[in-house]
Amino acid sequence: MPHFYKRLAAMVLMCAVSLCAVRGLPMIFPASTIGVLHYTPVASSDKGTVMTIDGNPITAEEYAFYFIDYANAWNNMLASLGMNWASVWSEEEFLEQVRGSVDEELTSRQAALGLIDQHNIHLTRAQIDEALSMKQEAIDSLGGEEGFQEQLNNIGMSETMFDNRLYCSYIYGRLNEVLFGDGGQYQTPLDQISTYMQENYLRAKHVLISDETENAEAIAQEVAQRAQAGESFDGLIMEYGEDPGMISQPEGYAFKEGDMVDEFYQGTAALAEGGISDPIRSDFGWHIIQRLPFDEAYVKQNRASFAGYMEAYSLDDLLSDRAAAMEVVRNDELYQAIDLNTVQDYLPSTAADDSADAATDEAETPETDETEPAA
């Protein structure tokens, strides 16, 4: 899986964690209510500016929300393992983890917005319509605009911040589609992907006869003989095969050493392309293997996945490069002042006072299997 998709999934999860207390609120679709979807800088603040990223201000209120969100995300992840942050890190170490996560997202976000502007990329009408519809459903589920605003206030999030952050769940995907998809400026050439797969991976189909099948070895011998005599291999899979993966992946498996049981890997490696094996025994039963080529059509069909396998230049890499080149100027005094004990003081004034109380509670009771928010 390309790094981008892993990180995007993590971003959406982080957002879901921050909104988990919002009853019935869909959490991955930002939108305004006037038919448009865009990013609006949060430029004004009663509490100061924590940093600028290429001249774009990050207010204390916005930074505080992200801080709480990532503290919650880290601690919820640890809670799923029966731990909490205080059982893993000191308070200073946890603070470093949270600040690092916030800084990375904010710089990546600014890099993504810069790419959107540079390449004049727009969301599709379908994406915008979907977002508007989902947001309206959220508002309706909370009894209307007043209930929606109340829930946002409870978690220290303005509607602009809500829209902005979740807008990014669309623009990252859109950037990846336009810049790294078909015809994109950064798309890895097909011949490079093909060469990499041929040098590092094998591709095969098989007919699996499990040990639970009566006379499994004899049936496997019969199937191998019929396949080697030219009978349709796909037809034999349908008639005898007991691996459901051959139904979900009819084009076969692409795998490297260690991905499959060794008997399957070695049996495939011993074949020429197009070759069909005699029955090969493994813990799963008997395999009759057909080795397949990495032909152009197959590589093209699986281009995105295979580019991820070879760790080709990805949107993550592009954003990282751009973020590293951006000028980040911190207000060190304010940056250091926002910590686990004070962060709630920097939220918008309408936010609930108890949004981060659990942070200090966790530090005092590290032995508990607490799943409350960490900040």
Side-chain angles (χ1 to χ4, degrees), residues 94-333:
F94 182 52
L95 189 59
E96 183 178 348
Q97 292 289 336
V98 173
R99 285 174 173 162
S101 297
V102 175
D103 292 355
E104 181 179 2
E105 178 167 339
L106 292 175
T107 53
S108 291
R109 181 185 73 178
Q110 194 58 49
L113 292 169
L115 285 169
I116 287 286
D117 290 341
Q118 176 185 338
H119 295 279
N120 194 29
I121 295 171
H122 302 277
L123 299 182
T124 66
R125 186 68 247 174
Q127 289 173 320
I128 295 172
D129 289 345
E130 180 181 49
L132 294 170
S133 175
M134 291 297 292
K135 184 174 182 181
Q136 189 59 51
E137 288 178 17
I139 294 170
D140 293 343
S141 74
L142 292 165
E145 185 67 31
E146 184 177 348
F148 178 68
Q149 293 297 332
E150 181 181 355
Q151 293 289 12
L152 291 180
N153 291 339
N154 286 341
I155 60 169
M157 193 181 204
S158 69
E159 187 169 2
T160 297
M161 290 159 54
F162 174 81
D163 289 351
N164 285 348
R165 193 187 195 191
L166 298 184
Y167 168 72
C168 290
S169 71
Y170 280 101
I171 66 168
Y172 281 101
R174 187 70 174 135
L175 282 168
N176 197 62
E177 177 185 348
V178 173
L179 298 181
F180 291 84
D182 286 345
Q185 178 178 338
Y186 297 97
Q187 186 180 43
T188 305
L190 199 64
D191 60 347
Q192 290 184 21
I193 298 175
S194 181
T195 298
Y196 176 84
M197 294 303 295
Q198 290 168 8
E199 292 177 351
N200 295 278
Y201 281 75
L202 301 175
R203 178 189 172 203
K205 297 180 180 181
H206 73 142
V207 181
L208 173 65
I209 312 296
S210 72
D211 287 331
E212 285 71 30
T213 299
E214 187 176 356
N215 300 319
E217 183 176 3
I219 293 174
Q221 291 286 356
E222 178 189 346
V223 170
Q225 291 170 6
R226 289 167 61 182
Q228 291 165 356
E231 192 167 335
S232 166
F233 200 83
D234 287 340
L236 292 168
I237 291 174
M238 293 297 295
E239 184 176 353
Y240 293 99
E242 298 181 59
D243 176 10
M246 287 292 92
I247 303 300
S248 60
Q249 299 186 62
E251 297 299 317
Y253 298 124
F255 55 95
K256 62 183 184 301
E257 190 170 8
D259 289 345
M260 301 291 194
V261 292
D262 192 58
E263 295 88 347
F264 191 90
Y265 178 84
Q266 297 298 339
T268 304
L271 295 170
E273 289 184 356
I276 296 171
S277 74
D278 292 329
I280 295 173
R281 184 77 172 82
S282 81
D283 290 341
F284 291 95
W286 295 92
H287 308 266
I288 301 91
I289 302 170
Q290 181 185 47
R291 183 170 177 178
L292 301 171
F294 285 97
D295 55 75
E296 182 177 349
Y298 177 68
V299 174
K300 188 173 183 179
Q301 177 184 342
N302 296 277
R303 184 173 197 154
S305 296
F306 293 166
Y309 293 169
M310 66 185 292
E311 297 188 357
Y313 193 71
S314 67
L315 180 60
D316 267 354
D317 298 319
L318 178 58
L319 292 174
S320 180
D321 289 346
R322 290 180 69 93
M326 291 189 299
E327 181 182 22
V328 178
V329 179
R330 290 195 184 95
N331 177 343
D332 286 333
E333 182 178 356

Side-chain angles (χ1 to χ4, degrees), residues 9-21:
M11 280 184 59
V12 173
L13 173 61
M14 296 296 184
C15 194
V17 167
S18 72
L19 294 173
C20 63

